Amino acid sequence: MSTTTQTHQWRFFRSGGFDQVAITTAADLQHLAALDPKLWTVLNCPTTGLEFDDKTLALMDQDGDGQIRVPEILQAVRWSCERLADVNIMFAAPGLLISSIADHDSLGIGIKQAARQVLAYLDKGADQPIQVTDLTDNTRLFAADHFNGDGVILPELTDNPALQQLMAEIISTQGGVEDRSGGIGLNEETLNQFWEQAQSIIAWHAAFADSTVLLCPLAEQTADAVAIFERVQAKIDDYFVRCQLAAFDTRAVESLNPVASVYDTLANRVIGGADLDIAGLPLSAIAAERPLSLTSGVNPAWAGAIAEFSNQVLTPLLGKTYTELSYTDWQDVSAQLAAWRSWMADKPETVLHELGLERLEQILASDWKAQLQELIATDLTASTFADNLSALEQLVRYQRDLVTLLRNFVTFSDFYQGQQKAIFQAGTLYLDQRSCELVMQVSDMSRHATMAPFSGCYLVYCTCVRQGEAPINIVAALTAGDVDELMVPGRNGIFYDRKGRDWKASVSKVVAQPVSIRQAFWSPYRRVAAFIEAQVQKFAASRDKDIEAKTTSGVTDTVTAPAAAPSNFDIAKFAGIFAAFGLALGAIGTALAAIVAGLFTLFWWQIPLVLAGVMLLISTPSMLMAFLTLRRRNLGPLLDANGWAVNTRARINIPFGAALTGLAHLPAGAKRSLQDPYAEKHSRWPLFFALILLVIAAWFIWQRFF
């Protein structure tokens, strides 16, 4: 597809090794849907881990999949262009004037009206722009005494003291509902719950009034009598059932009464009438069809409760004093108290009982429910303002953020042009006298570590901690300077996020890649030097260990063993070792002499060229590999590892890489003293050897050429 359409001429700039479209005018936004997607830098990006407003991304993520896709970008651009009278406002400073809102349809009129109300609520003039921060304080936009369309009403919405009291009672008994203003009120659901509970309490009391004689066989003492009855009911039922089992089978009598061993636990301790072991025993001795004696033979733990039952329940209900209770009389007592117990079981479980019957009857007899329902309906009709306010906030956010997102999605202009950081750049990492600007947050370390090496960048993964914050993982690309000291994880640095907060950064992993051609040139020599140093250390350590072992063994043998005869010195073996050592030195000397002799067979101006050629020959493989790696160094895999879909090869060449990593330099005009009182004192012997070599070289040159 051609980049030129019939209605719009696109303009491109080249950066990062590929052509990127310039988005700088209203026409660019209006024709963005006509731009070939193959020319877009990114096809989707995640909604997390970005230095971008989360609320704006949530508004754009219409399907809620955590990704911003091309159709969602186009929808946001299209909607913004439709809602603005002048699309050029998208490139202006953040803030939306009322005059910039298009009012060609009902939604536009509603958004503009909502904007006027917002300015009025905030005591701002009509000529002042609306900012995103103006729309985030609901306590000012949705005041408690304003209808706001959420169906929640607060006492401040009415001047009627009776309604205010009722609303407070509903909120306290049913629980409040949070209003958009931040206050606590009630809605249709809590209102209906209150009314249903009040009606159930009234009906419950009405059932008592209709059956007072049946429910209260002991008049006002019925409630107390029932409480005493229920205290002994289970124990008396247990006694009569045991007696019935004894009548059913006389063999059960012995098993239904406590065995004698039960009392062994009581023999050697002080016991009381309320002892739990005693209370668990039957109420009285079990026998077939035996009535319960109320005066003698009663379990001591229950004697008081049985006496109270006899005096305050049994005698008042049956009309005479009893010394024993038959099963028939027990059933009669239970039947007379059953109605009260059933009525109490039906008592509604609600805190509205605290309001009292009289108050509930007053509430149900009034028209206050209808008035509250009218207030709720009025509040719901104001939902248009709330909806328009949401659209206004979306428009203000798009005006502030959308172009920035396009410059990190359709193009990477923010990243390559350097006027501001890209939304995927998390901050700056200071480490080893350098600052790294290409730093990203990492949510999935394993996934990122698998894909990121394909970027060709030298990567340093760090774990960052800060007091009061959850730890985060970052990855930084080192694109300049030496990296010899960064090979071992565990080094510490400082990470500054985009808010300017400092985090302690500890290196957790390093992905080694070439950083520059200069470093690659010296890398073979550094590897050789490191190898020699390692071998020397290894040899020294092994010799030190051998000496220590021999010394320890010798001391031990001296202390524990008798003196041994001195061993004979093996002169032949020593001579062989000395001869081999001499041969090795001779061979090395002969080789060096041959090399030096060969050099001095050349013309004097050829010697530096030969040395330079040898060095270049040694370093060329490393430099070639570094060149190939640096040539394919690009941003795409780093972003793909974080869930992006990069649509191009965004190169990080050597000049641009040098701009992404800052090295330490003395300030301009700074004075520097080269006197170091603790500098190491150099020996003069190397200078003497150098002078001797120069004299020998001069002598060879004189003999050869003069």
Side-chain angles (χ1 to χ4, degrees):
M1 180 177 178
S2 174
T3 59
T4 302
T5 66
Q6 297 179 353
T7 57
H8 183 62
Q9 182 72 39
W10 294 101
R11 292 172 297 109
F12 287 83
F13 66 93
R14 189 164 185 83
S15 188
F18 66 102
D19 293 326
Q20 303 184 49
V21 65
I23 301 178
T24 56
T25 66
D28 294 333
L29 295 179
Q30 292 167 337
H31 295 85
L32 186 60
L35 181 66
D36 189 345
K38 293 190 294 294
L39 298 175
W40 288 47
T41 303
V42 174
L43 298 180
N44 74 266
C45 72
T47 57
T48 58
L50 304 179
E51 297 299 323
F52 199 78
D53 194 289
D54 293 338
K55 182 70 177 295
T56 304
L57 292 174
L59 291 173
M60 298 182 64
D61 186 15
Q62 298 176 355
D63 56 5
D65 64 348
Q67 294 284 328
I68 302 299
R69 301 174 294 109
V70 171
E72 292 169 331
I73 292 285
L74 294 176
Q75 172 61 25
V77 172
R78 186 183 307 111
W79 187 86
S80 300
C81 293
E82 291 176 354
R83 297 296 125 213
L84 292 173
D86 182 7
V87 182
N88 285 305
I89 193 68
M90 294 290 290
F91 298 92
L96 188 66
L97 294 169
I98 292 181
S99 58
S100 302
I101 303 173
D103 55 0
H104 55 80
D105 57 8
S106 59
L107 179 57
I109 295 172
I111 294 176
K112 182 171 284 191
Q113 180 60 32
R116 292 193 181 96
Q117 288 184 252
V118 168
L119 293 175
Y121 289 156
L122 301 178
D123 297 325
K124 297 177 68 172
D127 58 341
Q128 292 182 274
I130 299 175
Q131 304 289 347
V132 172
T133 53
D134 296 332
L135 305 174
T136 55
D137 188 359
N138 286 342
T139 59
R140 301 184 66 184
L141 300 178
F142 300 105
D145 57 351
H146 293 160
F147 294 106
N148 53 40
D150 63 354
V152 179
I153 57 174
L154 280 71
E156 291 85 350
L157 289 175
T158 179
D159 297 329
N160 188 335
L163 281 183
Q164 291 178 344
Q165 179 184 353
L166 176 58
M167 294 172 72
E169 291 170 339
I170 295 175
I171 294 171
S172 65
T173 58
Q174 306 301 310
V177 181
E178 186 175 359
D179 182 69
R180 278 176 172 161
S181 65
I184 302 298
L186 63 96
N187 57 12
E188 186 76 24
E189 181 181 358
T190 55
L191 176 61
N192 290 333
Q193 288 176 355
F194 179 88
W195 234 259
E196 291 173 0
Q197 293 172 14
Q199 289 172 344
S200 65
I201 292 176
I202 297 298
W204 182 69
H205 281 282
F208 176 83
D210 294 341
S211 307
T212 304
V213 177
L214 178 63
L215 293 173
C216 302
L218 296 178
E220 296 179 355
Q221 286 74 36
T222 302
D224 294 336
V226 170
I228 296 172
F229 169 84
E230 291 179 342
R231 196 177 306 145
V232 299
Q233 180 192 11
K235 203 65 178 178
I236 295 177
D237 281 340
D238 173 78
Y239 172 79
F240 283 116
V241 171
R242 287 175 181 265
C243 290
Q244 291 169 359
L245 283 174
F248 169 74
D249 189 344
T250 56
R251 294 174 301 174
V253 173
E254 184 177 353
S255 299
L256 294 172
N257 282 291
V259 296
S261 60
V262 170
Y263 302 103
D264 293 341
T265 60
L266 307 174
N268 298 320
R269 62 182 173 90
V270 178
I271 58 176
D275 195 292
L276 294 179
D277 291 332
I278 298 176
L281 300 176
L283 196 55
S284 184
I286 305 302
E289 302 294 347
R290 179 181 180 182
L292 175 64
S293 174
L294 302 176
T295 57
S296 62
V298 179
N299 186 325
W302 293 93
I306 292 299
E308 186 179 19
F309 166 74
S310 176
N311 296 330
Q312 299 188 34
V313 180
L314 186 60
T315 298
L317 280 178
L318 302 184
K320 62 179 181 178
T321 302
Y322 286 83
T323 59
E324 62 180 17
L325 176 66
S326 67
Y327 182 66
T328 302
D329 291 336
W330 171 245
Q331 287 182 312
D332 188 9
V333 171
S334 300
Q336 291 190 51
L337 299 179
W340 172 276
R341 298 178 65 208
S342 177
W343 176 72
M344 288 299 297
D346 293 336
K347 181 180 180 179
E349 295 183 4
T350 171
V351 295
L352 263 64
H353 293 284
E354 299 174 358
L355 300 179
L357 179 61
E358 183 178 353
R359 173 60 178 165
L360 294 177
E361 289 176 341
Q362 179 189 9
I363 293 173
L364 294 183
S366 68
D367 63 343
W368 293 336
K369 182 180 181 181
Q371 294 183 43
L372 293 178
Q373 288 175 327
E374 184 178 353
L375 286 176
I376 294 173
T378 303
D379 186 79
L380 289 172
T381 59
S383 61
T384 303
F385 168 69
D387 295 339
N388 291 334
L389 185 64
S390 298
L392 173 63
E393 181 181 358
Q394 182 175 352
L395 184 58
V396 174
R397 286 183 175 276
Y398 283 177
Q399 186 272 332
R400 184 193 67 177
D401 299 333
L402 187 54
V403 170
T404 299
L405 183 61
L406 295 179
R407 288 173 175 169
N408 291 270
F409 195 105
V410 182
T411 72
F412 274 163
S413 56
D414 278 357
F415 179 64
Y416 282 107
Q417 294 182 351
Q419 297 178 356
Q420 60 184 7
K421 289 190 176 192
I423 62 175
F424 50 78
Q425 290 179 268
T428 303
L429 175 66
Y430 288 85
L431 182 69
D432 194 36
Q433 288 194 320
R434 77 193 75 200
S435 61
C436 305
E437 301 296 335
L438 183 51
V439 181
M440 303 178 187
Q441 285 198 41
V442 178
S443 57
D444 188 342
M445 286 288 291
S446 59
R447 170 182 166 85
H448 202 281
T450 300
M451 298 185 61
F454 294 102
S455 66
C457 298
Y458 190 102
L459 303 177
V460 177
Y461 289 88
C462 296
T463 299
C464 301
V465 295
R466 175 182 170 86
Q467 187 174 7
E469 302 286 344
I472 60 174
N473 294 313
I474 62 171
V475 59
L478 271 66
T479 53
D482 294 330
V483 293
D484 295 331
E485 300 298 326
L486 294 176
M487 297 301 293
V488 180
R491 293 206 59 187
N492 293 328
I494 293 294
F495 169 64
Y496 287 91
D497 61 20
R498 294 282 287 271
K499 297 178 182 178
R501 301 177 301 176
D502 60 303
W503 300 67
K504 179 184 176 182
S506 298
V507 177
S508 59
K509 182 178 180 179
V510 172
V511 178
Q513 301 274 21
V515 175
S516 64
I517 300 295
R518 181 182 64 83
Q519 182 198 17
F521 177 84
W522 294 108
S523 62
Y525 307 102
R526 289 172 176 166
R527 288 196 296 268
V528 171
F531 173 77
I532 294 175
E533 181 180 0
Q535 294 302 315
V536 170
Q537 290 179 350
K538 183 178 179 181
F539 175 77
S542 64
R543 301 311 302 164
D544 181 71
K545 185 176 180 181
D546 291 343
I547 293 173
E548 180 182 0
K550 291 179 179 179
T551 302
T552 304
S553 176
V555 172
T556 303
D557 293 343
T558 302
V559 174
T560 60
S567 59
N568 296 326
F569 179 69
D570 193 346
I571 187 64
K573 182 177 181 181
F574 175 77
I577 295 174
F578 186 79
F581 184 71
L583 289 175
L585 288 179
I588 295 174
T590 302
L592 291 176
I595 293 174
V596 172
L599 286 175
F600 286 108
T601 60
L602 303 174
F603 292 103
W604 65 269
W605 54 269
Q606 293 176 326
I607 296 176
L609 295 179
V610 171
L611 295 177
V614 172
M615 294 182 66
L616 187 62
L617 181 64
I618 295 173
S619 299
T620 295
S622 297
M623 295 169 61
L624 179 60
M625 293 178 61
F627 171 76
L628 295 176
T629 301
L630 294 174
R631 188 171 179 271
R632 65 178 177 84
R633 190 170 61 179
N634 72 97
L635 179 65
L638 294 177
L639 293 177
D640 286 340
N642 269 349
W644 291 61
V646 179
N647 195 34
T648 187
R649 184 179 179 183
R651 290 188 57 200
I652 303 176
N653 58 23
I654 295 177
F656 184 57
L660 292 175
T661 300
L663 304 178
H665 297 287
L666 296 179
K671 296 182 178 180
R672 182 185 180 193
S673 174
L674 298 179
Q675 294 181 356
D676 185 356
Y678 300 104
E680 296 181 355
K681 295 182 179 180
H682 300 287
S683 175
R684 295 183 179 181
W685 287 106
L687 178 61
F688 290 154
F689 282 120
L691 290 175
I692 293 173
L693 290 176
L694 285 176
V695 171
I696 296 174
W699 184 80
F700 271 106
I701 293 173
W702 177 266
Q703 294 294 327
R704 177 69 177 79
F705 301 107
F706 298 100

